[in-house]
């Protein structure tokens, strides 16, 4: 049985990754300190092949005190990060850079040790579409990373930095890597992030981890007209977490992915306005869609549209879940959660 270490295993994308690898016969070791949401229950928690180590990834540098089972992992997915909604980009501009650099350095120190002295085969780093913050090329291919200006936000810059960790560890130690850039993950399991509870949009507190749960939350609470941040023309490619996990799984296992980078995303682009309209239609179809616009945020990138050709050709990966299906899934999750409270 192959063994994988997933940092940030209890997070939003991390929980999808755990189920993907468990369902494909892996033993999964997760590391998380519940810093984003606080203690949460995840579907994979009680799986017989899952082990959770509750700790801060920054403490991985002391390998002498780590559990023995960490020493014989075949792969590492570096997914742990301080991350939140767009308000984080402003509120925690320094911490997003400093904390995440320490997390990555600690993870790579472990990976280099396990590669050079044990049996680690590869590290896969979860980067972000925010590395393309300043591109003007759409759809954006992977090699645009070598041409476009670096990100202006500290979050985007740090995500670019994590890709350089891969390159540096490979150049100096020969550690194989794969870089994946998910685009706007949507799905179930997102909670309110700690530290984001004091911002309102109209009369409703924002759930700023991602735009979809925020819009659903406001409609569920009866906000009419619906408040939309920015112009509503911001374009995104909302990709279901199950598709992202599938793409990452293929990237980890494929020999063609070694020392390569991939956009992992749907190719379907829609505006925030279109997203809001679809949420409204699914929740209150008998009412006419009504909205007002609010001032957006400085780092609210207007377009994120990936070129997905490379993942299709090298990994045989294509996202299959539609945005309408994803909205329905999240609506059901949030509605049931509201009823349980």
């Amino acid at each position: 049985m192959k063994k994988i270490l997933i940092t940030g295993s209890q997070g939003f994308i991390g929980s999808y990754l755990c189920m993907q690898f468990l369902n494909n016969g892996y033993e999964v070791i997760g590391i998380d300190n519940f810093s984003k949401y606080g203690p949460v229950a995840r579907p994979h928690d009680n799986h017989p092949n899952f082990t959770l180590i509750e700790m801060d990834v920054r403490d991985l540098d002391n390998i002498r005190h780590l559990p023995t089972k960490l020493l014989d992992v075949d792969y590492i997915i570096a997914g742990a990060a301080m991350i939140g909604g767009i308000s984080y980009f402003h509120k925690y501009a320094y911490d997003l850079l400093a904390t995440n650099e320490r997390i990555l350095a600690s993870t790579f120190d472990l990976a280099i040790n396990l590669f050079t002295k044990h049996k680690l085969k590869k590290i896969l780093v979860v980067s972000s579409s925010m590395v393309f913050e300043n591109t003007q090329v759409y759809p954006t291919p992977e090699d645009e990373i070598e041409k476009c200006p670096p990100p202006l936000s500290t979050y985007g810059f740090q995500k670019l930095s994590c890709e350089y960790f891969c390159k540096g560890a490979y150049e100096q130690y020969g550690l194989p890597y794969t870089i994946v850039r998910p685009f706007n993950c949507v799905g179930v399991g997102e909670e309110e992030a700690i530290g984001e509870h004091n911002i309102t949009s109209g009369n409703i507190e924002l759930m700023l981890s991602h735009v979809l749960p925020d819009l659903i939350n406001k409609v569920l609470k009866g906000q009419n007209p619906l408040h939309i941040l920015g112009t509503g023309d911001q374009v995104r490619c909302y990709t279901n977490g199950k598709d992202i996990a599938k793409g990452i799984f293929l990237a980890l296992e494929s020999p063609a992915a070694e020392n390569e980078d991939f956009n992992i995303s749907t190719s379907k682009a829609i505006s925030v306005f279109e997203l809001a309209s679809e949420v409204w239609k699914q929740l209150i179809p008998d009412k006419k869609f009504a909205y007002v616009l609010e001032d957006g945020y400085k780092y609210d990138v207007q377009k994120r549209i990936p070129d997905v050709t490379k993942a299709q050709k090298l990994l045989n990966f294509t996202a299959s879940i539609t945005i309408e299906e994803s909205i329905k899934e999240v609506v059901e999750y949030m509605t049931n959660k509201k009823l349980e409270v």
Side-chain angles (χ1 to χ4, degrees), residues 12 16 185-190 212-213 239-242 326 329-330 333:
F12 180 42
Y16 278 106
C185 182
V186 293
V188 302
E190 270 207 300
L212 180 56
T239 312
N240 191 281
K242 291 189 284 292
S326 291
E329 181 183 43
V330 181
Y333 173 79

Side-chain angles (χ1 to χ4, degrees), residues 171-187:
E171 288 180 15
Q172 186 170 348
Y173 296 99
L175 174 63
Y177 68 86
T178 298
I179 296 165
V180 294
R181 305 185 187 102
F183 277 67
N184 293 93
C185 182
V186 293

Side-chain angles (χ1 to χ4, degrees), residues 179-315:
I179 296 165
V180 294
R181 305 185 187 102
F183 277 67
N184 293 93
C185 182
V186 293
V188 302
E190 270 207 300
E191 313 297 335
E192 289 183 277
I194 296 170
E196 286 190 329
H197 298 176
N198 58 347
I199 302 172
T200 59
S201 176
N203 61 334
I204 305 293
E205 283 187 348
L206 284 172
M207 295 177 64
L208 275 169
S209 288
H210 282 101
V211 63
L212 180 56
D214 176 51
L215 291 170
I216 293 171
N217 179 57
K218 287 190 281 195
V219 176
L220 284 175
K221 290 185 175 180
Q223 189 179 76
N224 188 355
L226 179 62
H227 288 242
I228 296 175
L229 295 180
T231 63
D233 295 325
Q234 308 97 307
V235 175
R236 302 286 186 266
C237 293
Y238 299 99
T239 312
N240 191 281
K242 291 189 284 292
D243 276 334
I244 284 176
K246 179 178 71 174
I248 290 175
F249 175 81
L250 292 171
L252 184 108
E253 287 218 320
S254 173
E258 187 167 306
N259 303 335
E260 293 285 352
D261 57 339
F262 296 92
N263 298 332
I264 301 297
S265 176
T266 178
S267 59
K268 172 69 174 178
I270 69 168
S271 69
V272 172
F273 178 84
E274 290 170 319
L275 182 72
S277 178
E278 180 63 27
V279 167
W280 186 284
K281 184 172 71 174
Q282 289 200 24
L283 280 170
I284 45 176
D286 56 324
K287 292 185 179 180
K288 183 179 179 181
F289 179 47
Y291 68 94
V292 294
L293 300 178
E294 290 187 359
D295 290 340
Y297 284 86
K298 179 180 179 181
Y299 298 120
D300 191 6
V301 178
Q302 296 305 296
K303 286 184 181 180
R304 293 184 195 165
I305 306 173
D307 186 328
V308 296
T309 306
K310 185 176 179 180
Q312 289 173 344
K313 288 184 176 179
L314 295 188
L315 305 179

Side-chain angles (χ1 to χ4, degrees), residues 2 24 28 109 120 161-162 166 174 198 227 275 329 332 339:
K2 289 180 282 190
N24 282 277
V28 176
D109 286 347
L120 186 75
S161 171
C162 81
C166 290
N198 58 347
H227 288 242
L275 182 72
E329 181 183 43
E332 290 176 354
L339 292 173

Side-chain angles (χ1 to χ4, degrees), residues 5-147:
L5 169 65
I6 300 177
T7 68
S9 62
Q10 308 308 97
F12 180 42
I13 293 179
S15 61
Y16 278 106
L17 290 175
C18 286
M19 288 307 303
Q20 176 72 33
F21 282 90
L22 288 166
N23 289 339
N24 282 277
Y26 276 71
E27 179 182 351
V28 176
I29 300 172
I31 292 181
D32 209 294
N33 66 350
F34 299 105
S35 61
K36 182 176 180 181
Y37 303 124
V40 290
R42 294 303 193 192
H44 59 267
D45 288 345
N46 297 318
H47 195 286
N49 292 328
F50 176 73
T51 302
L52 174 64
I53 301 172
E54 188 174 346
M55 66 177 291
D56 192 316
V57 177
R58 289 171 290 182
D59 296 332
L60 280 172
D61 56 349
N62 193 348
I63 196 166
R64 290 173 298 173
H65 295 99
L66 293 177
T68 304
K69 64 169 50 187
L70 272 186
L71 301 182
D72 65 345
V73 296
D74 298 289
Y75 302 102
I76 293 176
I77 292 182
M82 180 183 180
I83 183 173
I86 195 168
S87 70
Y88 264 47
F89 295 4
H90 306 265
K91 188 174 182 180
Y92 301 113
Y94 174 77
D95 292 345
L96 283 169
L97 188 62
T99 300
N100 287 339
E101 287 293 284
R102 294 181 180 114
I103 287 172
L104 259 294
S106 183
T107 304
F108 269 85
D109 286 347
L110 174 67
I112 290 165
N113 184 299
L114 297 186
F115 175 71
T116 56
K117 299 179 181 179
H118 297 274
K119 57 179 286 191
L120 186 75
K121 297 180 178 67
K122 184 170 74 169
I123 186 168
L124 182 147
V125 166
V126 181
S127 183
S128 168
S129 60
M130 281 295 289
V131 298
F132 297 124
E133 185 179 326
N134 283 325
T135 187
Q136 297 298 317
V137 178
Y138 307 102
T140 310
E142 283 84 353
D143 63 5
E144 174 65 6
I145 199 67
E146 301 170 2
K147 305 168 186 175

